Amino acid sequence: GTAVLVLSGMVILWGLRLSGYLGIRIWHMGRDYRFDGVREHFWRFAKFWFFQGLAVWLIMLPVILWFKNDVGSRFSETTSGVVSLGVGIWALGLVIEAVADQQKFAFKKAGRARWTDVGLWRLSRHPNYFGELLCWWGVFLFTAGQLAGLDLALGLVGPLSITGVLVFLTGIPPLEASADAKWGADPAYQAYKRATPVLVPWPRKGSWT
């Protein structure tokens, strides 16, 4: 049915956008620098991909449960409002993430040796992650109206997992630490940090050079 096509399309489009962006970035850079010091060690590399697979499985739980319960064949019109809201939030997140990634890529490609502070990056220090979170919370909302009980609780693990990973674990914290190590002594960077929210895009407070 239509619901199956829409949910499948949401996940597929998210994956195509991400893989396309990463492919273009690696083609321009020559390699993915995130794997430096990892790809040379088999078990470290294997551990990385194991936890990547586990994270994807957790994040996809609401989708997995939705299809497991064959919701698409008995989709209820009574949840159309929540479904539309979910699609809208997902679409907004995909646009924000795509625009933020493109702006940062263009900024770095131009050879600017400083933190990205153009476009959406003037409103958030990590707008790409904000877009990513919107995508998966939107997916959860799409499925939530047709899940119940334990399935609903397990489905909630999906968006909570990606939120926890990006906000508290391997997303924002190491990037903030790396930026502090590079530019922490620069008064302009400190002004940027004070004026710019960490995650949720918001008009800046004050200015910086």
Side-chain angles (χ1 to χ4, degrees):
T2 302
V4 171
L5 293 176
V6 172
L7 183 57
S8 299
M10 290 164 71
V11 175
I12 292 170
L13 284 175
W14 170 87
L16 289 175
R17 189 217 69 86
L18 179 61
S19 58
Y21 166 69
L22 292 177
I24 291 172
R25 190 177 71 173
I26 292 172
W27 183 72
H28 278 276
M29 296 172 60
R31 70 179 192 273
D32 193 330
Y33 290 96
R34 295 174 301 170
F35 294 128
D36 288 355
V38 176
R39 65 170 68 85
E40 298 85 359
H41 305 278
F42 175 80
W43 289 113
R44 191 181 300 176
F45 203 41
K47 180 181 177 182
F48 171 85
W49 285 112
F50 170 78
F51 283 108
Q52 285 288 306
L54 178 61
V56 169
W57 181 78
L58 289 173
I59 294 165
M60 287 286 290
L61 270 175
V63 178
I64 294 170
L65 293 167
W66 194 88
F67 280 106
K68 176 185 76 71
N69 292 329
D70 194 25
V71 173
S73 64
R74 51 182 175 78
F75 200 69
S76 172
E77 292 298 325
T78 61
T79 60
S80 60
V82 177
V83 167
S84 298
L85 179 62
V87 173
I89 290 174
W90 168 86
L92 177 62
L94 194 70
V95 170
I96 289 175
E97 187 174 31
V99 170
D101 280 344
Q102 189 279 328
Q103 289 173 340
K104 185 171 185 177
F105 179 74
F107 186 88
K108 297 297 184 182
K109 188 179 177 183
R112 301 182 185 180
R114 60 179 281 167
W115 58 95
T116 308
D117 59 354
V118 297
L120 291 174
W121 299 84
R122 294 180 68 85
L123 306 176
S124 167
R125 302 209 294 275
H126 303 280
N128 54 337
Y129 286 164
F130 178 70
E132 178 81 350
L133 294 181
L134 286 184
C135 280
W136 292 108
W137 279 102
V139 167
F140 171 73
L141 281 178
F142 183 100
T143 64
Q146 296 293 327
L147 298 177
L150 181 60
D151 282 346
L152 181 61
L154 289 174
L156 187 59
V157 170
L160 288 177
S161 294
I162 186 65
T163 302
V165 166
L166 293 185
V167 176
F168 301 109
L169 297 176
T170 62
I172 291 175
L175 289 179
E176 287 286 301
S178 176
D180 285 341
K182 293 178 183 176
W183 305 298
D186 189 332
Y189 176 68
Q190 292 300 329
Y192 169 72
K193 285 188 67 173
R194 289 192 298 270
T196 311
V198 175
L199 181 64
V200 181
W202 198 257
R204 63 183 184 173
K205 299 173 288 184
S207 61
W208 63 91
T209 57

